[in-house]
Amino acid sequence: MVWATGGRLLEDAAVLADGGRLAYVGVAETAPAADEEISGDWFLMPGVVDRHVHIALADPGAVLAGGVTAVRDLGWVPDDIFSLAEASESPSFEGPLVRAVGPIITCRDGYPSNRPWAPPGTAHEVTGADEAAAAARRALDRSGVPAVKVALNTDAGPTLTDEELLSVCQAAHEREAIVTAHVQGKGQTERAVGAGVDELAHAPWTERLSEDVLGGMAGRVRMVSTLDIHSYGKDTPELRTATDNVARFLGAGGTVTYGTDLGNGPIPPGIHVGEAFHLGNAGLSAEGILQALTFRPLAPGEPADVVGLAGNPLEDLAALGRVRFVMHLGRVARLD
Ligand SMILES: [Zn+2]
């Protein structure tokens, strides 16, 4: 069975990869002849995209074998992470495609400059609007950089001023890049949204956001879920607050994408079924969860990133944990 464009389910279906791209997605009967055939009783869906990872703290091979074919790294030492991102474009790379923002822009002594997980260079500390804009431009000078990250963590030190924040947003938007922000509570979310930030790198977890703020964000600012880092499978006040914010954001018409913050605590590599269940608890339908997990549909012309599951996750979400087949850029990365 294939979950194809527009959520259509095709029985007795086939996909054909050619040169790293999909050449055919449709019923098996009319599929063109292939040099090599692999068949299985699988639910085929696009490779999963994790929009919040720190891949240097994880095993890229295990991430890919677990069904995640692309990741977005939201903060690491620029020279290291950008060379890994470049290496990941090769079909022989043992891991997912890596897109990276490079360093996290913050103020002097701001988060994560003082965190044990963050090696020197992970934080780019700036003072003043000019330095803030220059930091954003420097990261975006590299090709393939999808976003600029800022940290507004008042629990871990001082934060960027409004002028510095605005300046990062303007510099990024001039290059048609987005700004993603680490925010935890209500006040910093409002500051970030007011300055023009395009995405929250986590669903805020320390305070309930107002309906006004959530309504103002919908359609303009999206959220990356990262719900399980507040619970690791347990029920916690932080998980409840974050889930409630996600639920009301979805209710206001907001967009939430799947991200795990892999590298932060015991988050498993590959598709994290626990995160999918949290999204379900926040009110997303099974179809909505598959959309949040993926980036592009299985369709001709799209990258040949395909995952085969033993089971239909639209009927039972736990099937997301039963990965049996992974193809990345047309190469078979897993076949059980
Ligand atoms: Zn993170």
Side-chain angles (χ1 to χ4, degrees):
M1 183 182 285
V2 173
W3 186 64
T5 309
R8 278 181 315 135
L9 281 177
L10 307 171
E11 302 273 359
D12 298 320
V15 303
L16 177 69
D18 188 9
R21 302 237 158 220
L22 294 172
Y24 177 84
V25 178
V27 291
E29 225 178 6
T30 54
D35 298 340
E36 195 190 334
E37 276 184 36
I38 299 168
S39 58
D41 185 12
W42 301 318
F43 179 95
L44 290 185
M45 60 179 278
V48 166
V49 181
D50 189 334
R51 288 170 175 91
H52 188 153
V53 304
H54 302 278
I55 194 73
L57 299 172
D59 171 1
V63 171
L64 179 60
V68 173
T69 55
V71 298
R72 198 175 52 154
D73 189 284
L74 290 191
W76 202 252
V77 184
D79 285 346
D80 296 354
I81 197 65
F82 288 134
S83 45
L84 185 72
E86 201 182 317
S88 78
E89 289 179 16
S90 158
S92 62
F93 179 70
E94 293 289 334
L97 178 72
V98 178
R99 290 277 182 244
V101 302
I104 299 171
I105 300 175
T106 191
C107 65
R108 203 71 69 214
D109 298 323
Y111 178 87
S113 62
N114 41 13
R115 286 298 156 118
W117 65 263
T122 304
H124 187 156
E125 297 169 65
V126 300
T127 305
D130 291 347
E131 268 187 46
R137 287 191 201 107
R138 197 160 127 199
L140 293 168
D141 277 344
R142 315 257 186 161
S143 69
V145 174
V148 169
K149 168 115 175 251
V150 293
L152 299 170
N153 180 340
T154 50
D155 293 344
T159 57
L160 295 166
T161 65
D162 286 343
E163 291 70 31
E164 289 160 349
L165 194 52
L166 265 172
S167 178
V168 169
C169 290
Q170 277 169 3
H173 293 160
E174 272 166 22
R175 304 276 186 98
E176 291 178 1
I178 68 159
V179 179
T180 186
H182 170 115
V183 292
Q184 300 177 196
K186 190 169 167 282
Q188 298 303 317
T189 300
E190 289 175 15
R191 283 189 66 211
V193 172
V197 156
D198 308 277
E199 180 188 271
L200 306 186
H202 303 279
W205 69 93
T206 58
E207 289 172 302
R208 186 176 204 269
L209 302 183
S210 72
E211 307 299 338
D212 273 2
V213 168
L214 291 167
M217 284 167 55
R220 192 163 73 80
V221 180
R222 66 184 187 192
M223 254 186 220
V224 184
S225 58
T226 74
L227 291 166
D228 199 47
I229 52 163
H230 310 302
S231 78
Y232 302 125
K234 297 194 184 73
D235 183 19
T236 63
E238 292 80 10
L239 174 66
R240 268 180 264 154
T241 302
T243 304
D244 173 60
N245 283 331
V246 168
R248 289 179 303 111
F249 184 51
L250 291 169
T255 300
V256 177
T257 59
Y258 166 85
T260 63
D261 207 2
L262 178 68
N264 175 353
I267 297 291
I271 301 172
H272 183 18
V273 187
E275 189 69 29
F277 274 106
H278 289 317
L279 285 168
N281 292 337
L284 264 190
S285 64
E287 176 97 39
I289 292 168
L290 291 197
Q291 280 162 359
L293 283 158
T294 55
F295 181 53
R296 288 185 281 222
L298 287 181
E302 298 291 357
D305 285 355
V306 184
V307 169
L309 305 173
N312 180 348
L314 296 169
E315 288 166 4
D316 174 14
L317 264 189
L320 287 168
R322 298 197 285 272
V323 176
R324 299 290 181 265
F325 171 77
V326 179
M327 176 180 273
H328 178 43
L329 300 174
R331 189 175 68 93
V332 176
R334 175 173 185 165
L335 176 59
D336 290 4

